[in-house]
């Protein structure tokens, strides 16, 4: 039997989740960035819970996630049943992996107190009606929701379903510890305007976006930027539609870069072949409009090319996460041609998750990212020097004299960031003096005391 060694932060998460249940929370939400190993973590919790004589159901909303969870349980030697369309149920197994749609249709077969624990994968979806039916039916069960982005697409939080939240490490911390690859993030000026795009189901209209991108500057740009920053290396290009993905693959192919597109209509053998070719480096660029939706466990690639504009933080971070699997000496390259990073933020940006969600007034606010005008590197807006090319940004004080609102907010955030980066009392005193405080020493002591009271201290990316 294989016993996985959980990483230190995963062990800590298991302990914190247990504490939350001991504190009488029935529903706990666990947040872990893409690539942090959430499937391994909940599989481990499932095994431990079942070993104590409990019945556990892992709920997923896509066939691929069902396969992924099932494979992860197999790796831990946890026998389990599957609840999915066109299959008969075997409820004698104490562990089940269920498609939420199928389970919701079969709830009349399942006593309300049957399951002791429900694990909800990709829990940011759990507001939808189907999930609600299952959660309300299994009233006796504890609930563990797992997600990288505990936020609904409308910016609301998940407090309706969860009363406690356990936060795993941030993407910056995972990167620092070597569990995610460091990345160069480049956001060249975009050649099309997302403000003209229609909205559908809470995101941009993909067929319209796909057409605009195929007609515009992004086509040429993605080839030239690939050549410049990733030449000869493997990459995934995220596209808007099957036609768009095929056009991009064709463009690379015609210009001597081995490329192919992959989509949901393809048979599994074909898809696995293309992914293996990409993994072996014989295929350089794989284009797709559905790779995230498919939940395919993608091989390690050197970069990702963002050609799919989105308004979903969750999708944004998942796309970038696809190229962050670490390897010795690897520095991933992220090429954003659609403005996602400026719209939704750098993947290392520290995000303040709460069960209440993003306050309404903050939802429309731009993230604190800026792009170097020389080399297009994206970085936290507090940086004075571009880490890639050394470009010096001019101080922004002048601009702030004549602008209110948005820029003032940016300024405040920068001030907070500067303060956050100060490690010692002396650093803080220096900031206090620079800001012309009457009593910088007293202020610095106050800030340090507040930090200690908070008990945790996270580094700014
Ligand atoms: Zn630069």
């Amino acid at each position: 039997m294989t016993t996985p060694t959980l990483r230190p932060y995963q062990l800590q998460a298991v302990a914190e989740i247990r504490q939350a249940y001991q504190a009488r929370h029935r529903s706990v939400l666990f947040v872990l960035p893409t690539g942090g190993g959430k499937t391994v973590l909940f599989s481990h919790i499932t095994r431990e819970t079942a070993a104590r004589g409990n019945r556990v159901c892992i709920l997923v909303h896509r066939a691929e996630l069902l396969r992924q969870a099932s494979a992860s349980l197999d790796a831990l030697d946890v026998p389990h049943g599957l609840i999915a369309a066109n299959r008969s149920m075997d409820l004698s197994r104490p562990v089940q992996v269920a498609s939420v749609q199928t389970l919701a249709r079969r709830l009349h077969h399942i006593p309300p107190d049957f399951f002791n624990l429900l694990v909800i994968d990709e829990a940011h979806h759990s507001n939808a009606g189907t999930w609600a039916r299952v959660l309300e039916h299994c009233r006796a069960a504890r609930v563990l929701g797992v997600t990288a982005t505990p936020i609904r697409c409308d910016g609301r939080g998940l407090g309706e379903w969860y009363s406690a939240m356990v936060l795993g490490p941030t993407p910056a911390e995972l990167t620092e510890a070597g569990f995610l690859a460091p990345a160069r993030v480049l956001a060249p000026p975009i050649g099309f305007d997302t403000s003209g795009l229609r909205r559908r189901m809470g995101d941009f209209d993909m067929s319209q976006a796909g057409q605009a991108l195929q007609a515009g500057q992004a086509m040429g740009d993605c080839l030239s930027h690939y050549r410049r920053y990733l030449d000869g290396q493997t990459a995934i290009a995220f596209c808007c539609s099957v036609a768009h993905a095929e056009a991009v693959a064709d463009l690379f192919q015609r210009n001597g870069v081995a490329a192919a597109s992959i989509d949901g209509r393809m048979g599994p053998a074909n898809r696995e072949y293309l992914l293996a070719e990409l993994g072996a480096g014989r295929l350089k660029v794989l284009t797709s409009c559905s790779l995230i939706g498919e939940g395919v466990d993608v091989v390690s690639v050197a970069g990702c090319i963002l050609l799919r504009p989105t308004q979903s933080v969750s999708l944004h971070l998942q796309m970038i996460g696809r190229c962050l699997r670490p390897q010795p000496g690897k520095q991933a390259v992220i090429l954003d041609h659609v403005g996602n990073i400026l719209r939704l933020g750098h993947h290392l940006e520290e995000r303040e998750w709460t069960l209440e969600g993003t306050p309404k007034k903050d939802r429309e606010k731009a993230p604190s990212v800026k792009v170097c005008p020389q080399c297009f590197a994206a970085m936290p807006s507090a940086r004075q020097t571009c880490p890639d090319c050394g470009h010096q940004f001019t101080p922004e004080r002048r601009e702030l004299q004549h602008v209110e609102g948005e820029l003032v907010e940016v300024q405040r955030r920068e001030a907070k960031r500067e303060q956050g980066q100060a490690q010692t009392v002396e650093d803080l005193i220096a900031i206090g003096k620079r800001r012309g405080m009457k009593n910088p020493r007293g202020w610095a002591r106050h800030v340090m005391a507040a930090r200690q009271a908070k008990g945790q201290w996270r580094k700014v990316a």
Side-chain angles (χ1 to χ4, degrees):
M1 161 167 164
T2 36
T3 306
T5 335
L6 289 185
R7 296 168 179 173
Y9 66 84
Q10 291 171 323
L11 287 170
Q12 192 188 331
V14 171
E16 285 180 28
I17 291 164
R18 190 174 295 145
Q19 271 170 18
Y21 289 126
Q22 279 161 0
R24 298 185 175 273
H25 288 284
R26 183 201 152 209
S27 300
V28 178
L29 186 62
F30 175 56
V31 181
L32 188 63
T34 310
K38 69 183 167 69
T39 310
V40 171
L41 184 107
F42 71 64
S43 300
H44 174 89
I45 290 176
T46 297
R47 183 177 70 171
E48 301 301 302
T49 309
R52 290 194 298 273
N54 296 295
R55 278 194 283 256
V56 185
C57 186
I58 298 170
L59 287 157
V60 298
H61 68 106
R62 293 195 307 249
E64 281 70 20
L65 293 172
L66 190 97
R67 272 203 287 281
Q68 218 172 297
S70 176
S72 172
L73 291 172
D74 281 338
L76 292 182
D77 279 338
V78 180
H80 55 278
L82 294 177
I83 301 176
N86 307 317
R87 286 181 89 99
S88 55
M89 295 195 287
D90 174 9
L91 292 177
S92 68
R93 301 274 170 117
V95 175
Q96 302 286 330
V97 183
S99 137
V100 67
Q101 290 85 356
T102 310
L103 183 65
R105 280 196 299 270
R106 298 183 188 168
L107 284 174
H108 54 283
H109 293 299
I110 296 174
D113 59 354
F114 187 76
F115 290 116
N116 305 91
L117 174 66
L118 299 180
V119 175
I120 299 185
D121 196 6
E122 303 217 321
H124 50 280
H125 292 287
S126 49
N127 56 300
T130 319
W131 293 100
R133 282 226 303 286
V134 174
L135 287 170
E136 273 157 22
H137 180 81
C138 301
R139 281 181 295 277
R142 279 176 174 170
V143 178
L144 173 63
V146 187
T147 179
T149 44
I151 192 167
R152 297 165 35 162
C153 39
D154 60 6
R156 284 207 264 159
L158 298 168
E160 197 183 331
W161 301 107
Y162 300 91
S163 65
M165 181 156 73
V166 171
L167 292 170
T170 63
E173 287 166 336
L174 286 179
T175 307
E176 227 167 276
F179 294 117
L180 292 178
R184 277 185 90 179
V185 180
L186 300 156
I190 63 172
F192 86 115
D193 184 10
T194 47
S195 68
L197 291 179
R198 286 187 300 264
R199 312 292 154 100
R200 277 189 67 188
M201 322 251 290
D203 205 346
F204 297 121
D205 180 328
M206 277 304 112
S207 72
Q208 194 196 7
Q211 280 164 13
L213 281 160
Q214 280 181 76
Q217 175 197 327
M219 283 300 266
D221 276 2
C222 69
L223 180 65
S224 63
H225 282 83
Y226 169 82
R227 286 230 164 102
R228 184 155 167 207
Y229 298 104
L230 276 163
D231 206 22
Q233 294 183 272
T234 53
I236 296 172
F238 294 97
C239 300
C240 300
S241 62
V242 173
H244 182 212
E246 284 172 346
V248 173
D250 186 54
L251 173 79
F252 277 93
Q253 195 70 35
R254 275 189 284 118
N255 286 279
V257 180
S261 68
I262 193 170
D263 66 70
R265 302 169 307 184
M266 243 170 216
N270 230 335
R271 289 193 338 195
E272 263 152 45
Y273 169 75
L274 287 177
L275 287 167
E277 289 291 289
L278 183 70
R282 284 187 291 272
L283 193 61
K284 302 298 182 196
V285 177
L286 188 65
T287 71
S288 174
C289 68
S290 56
L291 217 48
I292 291 298
E294 314 261 326
V296 180
D297 209 9
V298 173
V299 292
S300 177
V301 287
C304 74
I305 301 171
L306 303 177
L307 292 168
R308 185 207 194 288
T310 184
Q311 292 187 296
S312 155
V313 175
S314 169
L315 180 60
H316 171 54
L317 295 177
Q318 283 187 68
M319 290 194 280
I320 290 176
R322 290 287 166 170
C323 71
L324 297 180
R325 189 184 287 186
Q327 269 182 342
K330 171 174 168 181
Q331 188 188 35
V333 175
I334 294 153
L335 297 174
D336 177 9
H337 297 280
V338 286
N340 287 349
I341 286 159
L342 282 171
R343 201 178 312 112
L344 302 167
H346 194 287
H347 68 286
L348 295 185
E349 179 168 321
E350 196 164 329
R351 291 165 196 271
E352 281 177 32
W353 303 123
T354 67
L355 285 170
E356 291 74 43
T358 318
K360 219 170 194 168
K361 62 176 171 48
D362 289 346
R363 276 177 210 165
E364 297 296 314
K365 245 185 238 161
S368 48
V369 177
K370 69 181 172 192
V371 172
C372 171
Q374 299 260 11
C375 74
F376 310 138
M379 69 205 81
S381 43
R383 282 265 169 87
Q384 323 256 287
T385 312
C386 171
D388 272 34
C389 73
H391 171 78
Q392 293 276 338
F393 290 90
T394 41
E396 279 162 44
R397 214 173 304 129
R398 256 171 299 123
E399 297 166 46
L400 287 160
Q401 285 167 351
H402 54 84
V403 189
E404 291 169 15
E406 185 70 20
L407 264 181
V408 176
E409 286 301 326
V410 172
Q411 164 81 340
R412 234 178 250 146
R413 218 166 14 221
E414 280 179 14
K416 215 177 143 193
R417 215 168 253 279
E418 178 190 44
Q419 187 178 319
Q421 273 161 345
Q423 307 270 359
T424 63
V425 181
E426 283 66 38
D427 293 347
L428 285 165
I429 293 172
I431 292 172
K433 280 183 183 157
R434 263 208 309 283
R435 292 187 194 164
M437 286 182 190
K438 271 189 185 158
N439 180 6
R441 210 162 279 280
W443 172 75
R445 272 201 305 273
H446 169 77
V447 172
M448 283 314 254
R451 273 184 199 172
Q452 271 150 19
K454 220 173 155 191
Q456 57 180 27
W457 168 230
R458 285 184 169 155
K459 258 196 182 163
V460 177

